[in-house]
Amino acid sequence: MGQHFAGIDIGSRTIELVIVDKAGTIIENFQRDTGYNPMSEVDSLLSQVSYDAIMATGYGRNLFELSIEARTVTEIKAHARGAMATFPGVRTVLDIGGQDSKVISLSETGRVSRFEMNDRCAAGTGKFLEIMAKSLGYRIEDFGNEALAAKKDITISSMCTVFAESEVTSLIGRGEDCREIALGLHDSVVRRVSGMIRRVSATDAGELVFTGGVARNPCIRMLLERTLDREIQVAEDPQLIGAYGAALLALESALQ
Amino acid sequence: MEEMIPLFEDEYAGQPAPKRVLAYMQKKQENDQPIVGTYCAYAPIEIMQAMGLTPAILCAFAKATIASAETVLPANLCPLIKSSYGFIQEGSCPFFSMAGAVVAETTCDGKKKMFELAAEVKPLHVMDLPQLPDEVEAKENWTRMIRKLQGFLEETFNRTATDLQIEESIKKSNKRNQLMRKIFDYAAIHPPVINWQEMFDISFMALPYDVDDAVPVLEGIIERLERRVAEGVHYGSQNSPRVLVTGSPVGGDALKIYKIIEQCGGVVVTPDCCTGLKLFAKDFEEDMADPAEALAKRYLQIPCSCMTPNEGRLEALSEMIEHFKPDAVIDFVLTACHSYNVESYKVGQYISEKHDMPFLKIETDYSDNDEGQIRTKVQALFEIID
Ligand code: SF4
Ligand code: SF4
């Protein structure tokens, strides 16, 4: 009795830790910035909790595996598992994180059947939004709401982060409305990821669940629903889904 | 793991494959067998070998020369072309320096235009490769191009080849191909008794070697593989995911794809590319009235994405899946290699629909800064399998 299972998602921007009990219910969760020394952040996080088994995911998982005895799983499987537990009807997961964006297609039983992940460039990721928010002088937390307040959008033609940034600079120079530029930038992310969604999950069957930090951005959510013409589901804390999935996988592999 | 019997019993065992081949080429050149550089699987090496010339596959797989190539070539070009040109420009490819002439083909646009620049450095002969290999004219035209190449080589090197010599060369290539297929068969075993590095090294050697020199080496390799079978040694385990890698040519810095697959616990059971099985997969028809036509017929069967339509690639994939029993297919696409990149969609659909097999496309170049991302993709693919 009283067993606890931990899932830790070591992302490029943030680290999330979720503890679940034997029934898979979340009992604790933590989040902090990855910073410059991810392992010391991980150590200090883990020193606050106790658990019987732990599973690591996220791009720092291999680093973690080296220093601490832990099993690892890819972000793809972790997000699929976490999304399944939150929305049992899920068949497609969209995860936009700091560095990566991915689309995962699930079978009826919740197994990953296909996935796609962006290549090394930042287009269509949280990083892209962050850089663009900064160049328009917005805080990333407000960026989505500011964009939503725009009356019309301005099309940003460059997908590449570097080119988009200079496009933004010249739009500002031309006296364009910052909110409209912001909407255009959001739209460029949505165009990119909706292409991925259409490629990976050809059907509209089941629910589309949006996970990862960018899922908190209301403008991205609105534009996605409009572009795909379908409803999307977002968990209360979408950025925790990967760690939650990892915790569930830790629990399941301990029970085996 | 138990001790693996090395497949090569020479002083180059364990060293990068080019060293062995370079030493061989030097010997050939000293014995009055001049070197001809080639860049592509379509180069009919039988014609060269029939007149006592030694084909050399030119360097195209190192990131080291890309920076200097980019002073002339656009940066958003396929790394293979940039790397090749960089070697030419820097004069740092020993194979290229040795070559008395270079044979090129009109395959993809980037390569074609790069050859125009390379022609300023070395005598270079371009063959007009038909792009619609299934058309009736294709074979006739390619036969003619092969004869024209013969004329170019005869003039450049002041040698001749009779049809009888070409026919002999064809028969030898068939012999080599059969041995190569026998060697690749050891990867069809479950778990495989040969790994990707060995298959790569052997292919790298077998193609440019004179078949008379290659046969005893290949037979020795088969004998040692048999010994591995008898001793029960193998790569990976019964559960290691078996991967068929198809797509753009793989070598040098692009070998990272094979390495990552192995690091993630998988085994490469079929390298389906021009530095793998592709060239040895089929034989030439023997004793045709015109041996050049036999060459044309076989070469046009290479399922390269520069061709349209390239249905042969799908058929070949099905055959390989039957034979090597992979668990997943990875399509390796070099950045800016448009023909393989566009074709990837078709290949992916085919693999999922026809074979219900996990499929992953990996688009990358020769740099190593995306290894973490590729590793995640490969690991996720393996998670799907188990
Ligand atoms: S992929 Fe096509 S163009 Fe490239 S080496 Fe092979 S046959 Fe030639
Ligand atoms: S890899 Fe593709 S783009 Fe590069 S040379 Fe070969 S066919 Fe051309």
Side-chain angles (χ1 to χ4, degrees):
Chain A
M1 273 299 109
Q3 286 179 39
H4 289 173
F5 302 90
I8 187 159
D9 182 353
I10 309 163
S12 60
R13 315 292 297 159
T14 56
I15 300 171
E16 286 89 17
L17 174 67
V18 166
I19 309 282
V20 299
D21 63 15
K22 253 174 77 179
T25 311
I26 298 183
I27 47 178
E28 272 183 296
N29 71 72
F30 306 85
Q31 179 171 16
R32 64 172 60 184
D33 287 344
T34 306
Y36 297 104
N37 191 348
M39 281 322 296
S40 77
E41 297 298 332
V42 167
D43 288 339
S44 92
L45 257 180
L46 291 181
S47 66
Q48 301 172 36
V49 293
S50 66
Y51 50 83
D52 300 283
I54 182 165
M55 182 83 78
T57 189
Y59 110 120
R61 69 186 181 285
N62 295 318
L63 200 70
F64 185 71
E65 199 175 27
L66 290 179
S67 67
I68 300 173
E69 188 76 20
R71 312 212 11 207
T72 61
V73 69
T74 64
E75 300 91 291
I76 292 158
K77 191 169 177 182
H79 276 267
R81 186 68 194 88
M84 188 73 188
T86 322
F87 299 97
V90 61
R91 293 294 295 278
T92 310
V93 178
L94 164 66
D95 162 43
I96 308 185
Q99 211 77 260
D100 298 316
S101 48
K102 40 190 111 52
V103 176
I104 309 158
S105 157
L106 305 186
S107 72
E108 276 163 46
T109 56
R111 286 182 62 95
V112 174
S113 57
R114 287 187 66 179
F115 66 91
E116 195 172 303
M117 192 171 147
N118 67 309
D119 294 310
R120 69 190 109 201
C121 89
T125 67
K127 184 91 192 156
F128 177 85
L129 287 170
E130 226 171 81
I131 293 171
M132 297 308 148
K134 196 181 265 169
S135 66
L136 282 169
Y138 291 123
R139 293 191 330 148
I140 185 70
E141 295 80 7
D142 308 327
F143 197 32
N145 280 320
E146 294 288 347
L148 275 178
K151 298 214 171 44
K152 61 172 176 57
D153 77 358
I154 292 173
T155 305
I156 306 292
S157 42
S158 315
M159 281 283 184
C160 163
T161 313
V162 179
F163 289 134
E165 208 178 2
S166 41
E167 204 175 329
V168 166
T169 312
S170 73
L171 288 168
I172 296 173
R174 250 169 42 195
E176 298 289 352
D177 185 289
C178 283
R179 287 177 177 163
E180 289 171 4
I181 302 173
L183 185 57
L185 288 164
H186 281 71
D187 197 48
S188 111
V189 171
V190 168
R191 263 184 287 148
R192 183 97 175 187
V193 297
S194 48
M196 273 169 88
I197 293 172
R198 291 200 184 99
R199 274 199 300 277
V200 175
S201 78
T203 69
D204 288 351
E207 286 176 323
L208 167 59
V209 174
F210 188 7
T211 67
V214 175
R216 285 185 302 184
N217 181 313
C219 185
I220 296 280
R221 290 201 305 260
M222 186 278 286
L223 290 173
L224 257 179
E225 291 196 326
R226 205 170 70 185
T227 308
L228 297 168
D229 192 24
R230 66 189 281 201
E231 206 187 322
I232 58 167
Q233 304 288 348
V234 181
E236 209 173 301
D237 290 310
Q239 74 282 10
L240 290 181
I241 296 291
Y244 177 37
L248 294 173
L249 290 165
L251 160 74
E252 280 151 20
S253 71
L255 290 182
Q256 264 174 15
Chain B
M1 194 189 279
E2 281 138 286
E3 221 18 71
M4 279 286 177
I5 304 161
L7 295 185
F8 285 97
E9 269 177 2
D10 58 17
E11 69 259 52
Y12 303 102
Q15 293 194 54
K19 285 206 168 177
R20 171 182 297 116
V21 180
L22 187 61
Y24 178 81
M25 298 277 145
Q26 272 154 351
K27 228 167 55 211
K28 284 281 149 187
Q29 200 179 30
E30 283 159 22
N31 290 335
D32 196 28
Q33 296 231 46
I35 312 294
V36 185
T38 69
Y39 276 109
C40 168
Y42 284 105
I45 56 175
E46 289 70 20
I47 288 285
M48 305 166 196
Q49 287 169 335
M51 56 181 85
L53 301 172
T54 306
I57 301 160
L58 299 176
C59 291
F61 295 112
K63 58 174 172 277
T65 59
I66 288 184
S68 62
E70 283 177 357
T71 59
V72 175
L73 298 174
N76 60 350
L77 191 65
C78 144
L80 196 145
I81 306 175
K82 287 190 288 184
S83 173
S84 311
Y85 186 69
F87 275 112
I88 297 173
Q89 201 186 18
E90 290 182 2
S92 54
C93 170
F95 294 102
F96 188 83
S97 313
M98 286 162 82
V102 174
V103 175
E105 302 77 12
T106 55
T107 53
C108 67
D109 290 350
K111 240 181 174 178
K112 213 156 57 192
K113 301 310 282 184
M114 182 273 276
F115 289 143
E116 292 175 14
L117 300 173
E120 289 163 16
V121 187
K122 275 260 152 122
L124 185 137
H125 178 80
V126 182
M127 303 172 77
D128 186 10
L129 182 66
Q131 312 278 294
L132 274 62
D134 304 333
E135 294 291 311
V136 280
E137 296 84 2
K139 198 176 69 187
E140 206 177 298
N141 291 345
W142 193 234
T143 307
R144 215 167 281 158
M145 287 301 145
I146 290 173
R147 288 296 188 189
K148 257 183 133 162
L149 169 71
Q150 184 181 354
F152 166 78
L153 294 173
E154 286 181 339
E155 206 165 289
T156 311
F157 294 98
N158 198 17
R159 308 193 161 210
T160 53
T162 63
D163 277 6
L164 214 66
Q165 285 169 313
I166 300 174
E167 180 63 34
E168 211 178 301
S169 189
I170 284 178
K171 290 194 169 127
K172 282 187 188 174
S173 278
N174 282 344
K175 169 91 180 139
R176 177 205 57 214
N177 293 357
Q178 283 149 19
L179 289 171
M180 284 302 283
R181 290 198 295 269
K182 216 163 153 187
I183 290 172
F184 278 93
D185 277 352
Y186 288 88
I189 300 175
H190 213 121
V193 289
I194 186 166
N195 74 358
W196 63 267
Q197 179 80 62
E198 293 166 337
M199 289 189 271
F200 179 78
D201 288 355
I202 297 167
S203 308
F204 200 85
M205 178 269 317
L207 205 66
Y209 268 42
D210 196 287
V211 178
D212 288 335
D213 297 329
V215 166
V217 185
L218 297 177
E219 281 170 345
I221 288 171
I222 293 174
E223 196 191 298
R224 287 186 281 278
L225 284 164
E226 270 311 312
R227 262 175 25 220
R228 285 187 183 173
V229 174
E231 288 173 14
V233 293
H234 47 75
Y235 286 101
S237 71
Q238 204 61 250
N239 300 326
S240 305
R242 299 167 65 83
V243 187
L244 185 162
V245 180
T246 181
S248 303
V250 183
D253 290 321
L255 291 173
K256 69 178 178 183
I257 180 67
Y258 295 157
K259 289 183 189 150
I260 293 172
I261 291 170
E262 195 176 48
Q263 286 159 5
C264 295
V267 285
V268 177
V269 293
T270 337
D272 169 41
C273 65
C274 289
T275 41
L277 188 55
K278 233 170 200 156
L279 280 169
F280 311 110
K282 285 197 169 99
D283 288 334
F284 297 95
E285 194 175 317
E286 296 185 2
D287 301 315
M288 273 180 87
D290 181 2
E293 193 185 327
L295 290 174
K297 219 172 125 190
R298 162 67 187 107
Y299 277 105
L300 289 177
Q301 284 169 342
I302 295 173
C304 170
S305 69
C306 292
M307 296 293 184
T308 184
N310 188 24
E311 296 299 323
R313 176 147 178 230
L314 304 182
E315 284 160 34
L317 280 168
S318 281
E319 277 167 32
M320 284 182 281
I321 289 171
E322 273 304 304
H323 188 68
F324 291 97
K325 305 258 181 311
D327 299 307
V329 172
I330 294 183
D331 195 15
F332 177 81
V333 176
L334 286 174
T335 322
C337 172
H338 304 316
S339 62
Y340 276 100
N341 204 347
V342 173
E343 198 167 275
S344 185
Y345 176 76
K346 212 163 96 180
V347 172
Q349 294 286 95
Y350 184 78
I351 297 299
S352 346
E353 278 160 25
K354 178 92 195 274
H355 294 282
D356 193 22
M357 194 171 277
F359 172 86
L360 175 68
K361 168 178 150 186
I362 291 182
E363 193 182 331
T364 185
D365 56 20
Y366 296 167
S367 63
D368 43 25
N369 58 17
D370 61 349
E371 280 184 11
Q373 216 165 21
I374 296 178
R375 191 165 291 124
T376 298
K377 291 179 188 179
V378 172
Q379 281 171 353
L381 181 75
F382 290 175
E383 285 170 350
I384 295 180
I385 296 167
D386 60 44

